[in-house]
Amino acid sequence: MQPQFIIAAPHSGAGKTTVTLALLRALQRRGLKAQPFKCGPDYLDPKHHTLAAARPSINLDRYMMSDAHVRRLYAYYSEDADVSITEGVMGLFDGARKMEGSSASLAAFLKIPVILVVNARAMAYSAAALLYGYKNFFPEITIAGVIFNFVNTPSHYRILEEAAADAGIPALGYLPEQKHLHIPSRHLGLHISSETDYNHIIDAAADHLEKHIQLEQLLQLTSREKPPAPAADNTPAGPLRIAVAQDEAFNFIYRENINALSRLGTVTYFSPLTTRQLPPADLLYFPGGYPELHLEALAANTPLLTALRQYQGKILAECGGMMYLGNSITDESGQTYPMAGLLPVSTSMQQKKLSLGYRQVHINDVLLKGHEFHYSQYTASPGLTSPHIRVLNARHEPVSSPVFHTGNILASYLHFYFGEDVEGMGRVMGF
């Protein structure tokens, strides 16, 4: 038996991430192996989970992944853990289409209970109606308990505790608001200036949680039978040399993408900020990140830009990586910096506009899935996008997300997920 559960909420902004990080760190400090997961395509929360738990956090996404792949990942990474904690996405029932890919969908599929985090700052006994609705709306899930967030007095909590009891959901405690636990937001998600500062915040959040939450009761209520361990994959690695850009400018990477690439060959890393020459490689992988925050350093590394222009192998570039391969990037102030010039594309952080959503990309007979999340805008030479490529959203409607497939390069605003089907990506890339 193993405690395992999803941290969910009625809506975004209720405090799921802070509660998840605090739980992971509190359990880790007790000597328990707490395995983090993230429901959905987010690539930032898993970075935070990994720091809090000292174990890699894994995305579980029922839109980008098959059910068999989700089940295997959950079983594999939970196998040697004492506790498995999955952070939900948006509101409990919010998915790509209705509940598709939602936290509730994942909880029902994996048969694990839900711990609901409710922002009760401006709520009293009305919490009973909210909790009753969430408990009964979708009978295939079990809400094992509720944590009330932003509750500052014991008398307020007593009202909420009574509301939870009348709705038939155990109240596991409350968290008074602590402004010093707030994690600053950047345009692509939660951000903190340094790992040291972040560790202090996580430790403080864990201290705060242990004072107010009935942690032992939570673990007892969520104990379930462990999923059976999957069979080991003993496939020998292939011969490819793969170099992955990874530094402060490029670090939005799905862990399973790297594991998949390692089945094709040897994976090494380099930094477009500091590496002066490209490592020997048959494939260069530029994931997304924050190149717009490091434009001066990227533009100043002319030896690497020159080496890129002379490179003859394959290149896969996603979002920030695509921006880096273009002619230039313009920052918010209007200053333009030259980039690699491998694509006749220019991007700008001025007049920012959010582009967000799941995408499926049809390239000849191959289907690639991914997620788009960016604020920059682009201009490209007419006819650069390939006519044989179709891009659809989760509702199977055509969208104008650019996908550039030119010679040895596949570049897009999408963050592709190919942890399950690296062979499909290989067919598209020609390796």
Side-chain angles (χ1 to χ4, degrees), residues 259-298:
N259 287 342
L261 289 174
S262 70
R263 297 198 296 270
L264 301 180
T266 303
V267 176
T268 58
Y269 297 90
F270 69 101
S271 167
L273 289 171
T274 60
T275 302
R276 310 299 282 179
Q277 290 295 326
L278 287 173
D282 305 297
L283 170 67
L284 299 178
Y285 178 25
F286 290 90
Y290 288 119
E292 66 272 20
L293 300 181
H294 305 276
L295 294 176
E296 186 173 354
L298 291 172

Side-chain angles (χ1 to χ4, degrees), residues 6-17 38-42 45 87-104 116-117 134 356-358 371:
I6 287 183
I7 297 290
H11 53 78
S12 296
K16 293 190 304 292
T17 299
K38 174 64 182 181
C39 176
D42 186 282
D45 284 346
E87 182 183 350
V89 57
M90 299 187 293
L92 176 58
F93 300 108
D94 296 331
R97 291 181 299 177
K98 294 188 176 182
M99 285 175 50
E100 183 183 0
S102 67
S103 305
L116 203 62
V117 178
Y134 273 74
L356 171 68
Y358 286 112
H371 189 258

Side-chain angles (χ1 to χ4, degrees), residues 114-133:
V114 174
I115 298 297
L116 203 62
V117 178
V118 173
N119 179 348
R121 179 187 280 113
M123 185 181 298
Y125 188 70
S126 292
L130 182 146
L131 293 174
Y132 182 85

Side-chain angles (χ1 to χ4, degrees), residues 250 272 291 294-302 304-306 308-309 322-331 334-343 345-347:
F250 302 96
H294 305 276
L295 294 176
E296 186 173 354
L298 291 172
N301 191 356
T302 54
L304 188 71
L305 293 173
T306 300
L308 260 178
R309 295 173 190 128
M322 180 202 77
M323 296 165 67
Y324 178 66
L325 294 190
N327 287 325
S328 65
I329 302 175
T330 301
D331 65 18
Q335 185 166 351
T336 297
Y337 294 84
M339 292 292 124
L342 298 185
L343 292 172
V345 175
S346 296
T347 51

Side-chain angles (χ1 to χ4, degrees), residues 118-319:
V118 173
N119 179 348
R121 179 187 280 113
M123 185 181 298
Y125 188 70
S126 292
L130 182 146
L131 293 174
Y132 182 85
Y134 273 74
K135 177 184 177 183
N136 293 285
F137 175 73
F138 185 49
E140 294 183 40
I141 62 171
T142 298
I143 299 181
V146 58
I147 294 170
F148 293 104
N149 204 8
F150 308 117
V151 176
N152 287 320
T153 66
S155 59
H156 184 190
Y157 177 62
R158 282 195 295 272
I159 298 170
L160 296 166
E161 195 173 25
E162 292 170 347
D166 289 350
I169 297 177
L172 300 174
Y174 70 99
L175 295 173
E177 184 168 14
Q178 297 284 303
K179 294 189 182 297
H180 70 281
L181 298 182
H182 174 66
I183 302 171
S185 178
R186 182 168 279 168
H187 62 264
L188 288 181
L190 298 177
H191 167 73
I192 198 68
S193 57
S194 73
E195 188 170 298
T196 300
D197 290 342
Y198 205 172
N199 264 313
H200 289 328
I201 290 177
I202 295 172
D203 279 330
D207 292 340
H208 188 54
L209 180 136
E210 293 200 83
K211 291 177 184 176
H212 298 281
I213 301 302
Q214 299 168 40
L215 188 50
E216 292 300 330
Q217 183 185 7
L218 188 160
L219 297 178
Q220 291 170 8
L221 289 171
T222 58
S223 186
R224 298 291 189 274
E225 188 174 344
K226 270 191 176 185
D233 182 1
N234 297 316
T235 306
L240 287 182
R241 299 168 299 170
I242 302 156
V244 180
Q246 187 174 56
D247 55 23
E248 292 183 0
F250 302 96
N251 52 58
F252 297 169
I253 303 176
Y254 293 127
R255 179 182 175 86
E256 290 307 301
N257 281 359
I258 299 300
N259 287 342
L261 289 174
S262 70
R263 297 198 296 270
L264 301 180
T266 303
V267 176
T268 58
Y269 297 90
F270 69 101
S271 167
L273 289 171
T274 60
T275 302
R276 310 299 282 179
Q277 290 295 326
L278 287 173
D282 305 297
L283 170 67
L284 299 178
Y285 178 25
F286 290 90
Y290 288 119
E292 66 272 20
L293 300 181
H294 305 276
L295 294 176
E296 186 173 354
L298 291 172
N301 191 356
T302 54
L304 188 71
L305 293 173
T306 300
L308 260 178
R309 295 173 190 128
Q310 298 170 349
Y311 176 71
Q312 299 297 311
K314 306 290 185 180
I315 303 177
L316 172 62
E318 302 170 341
C319 201

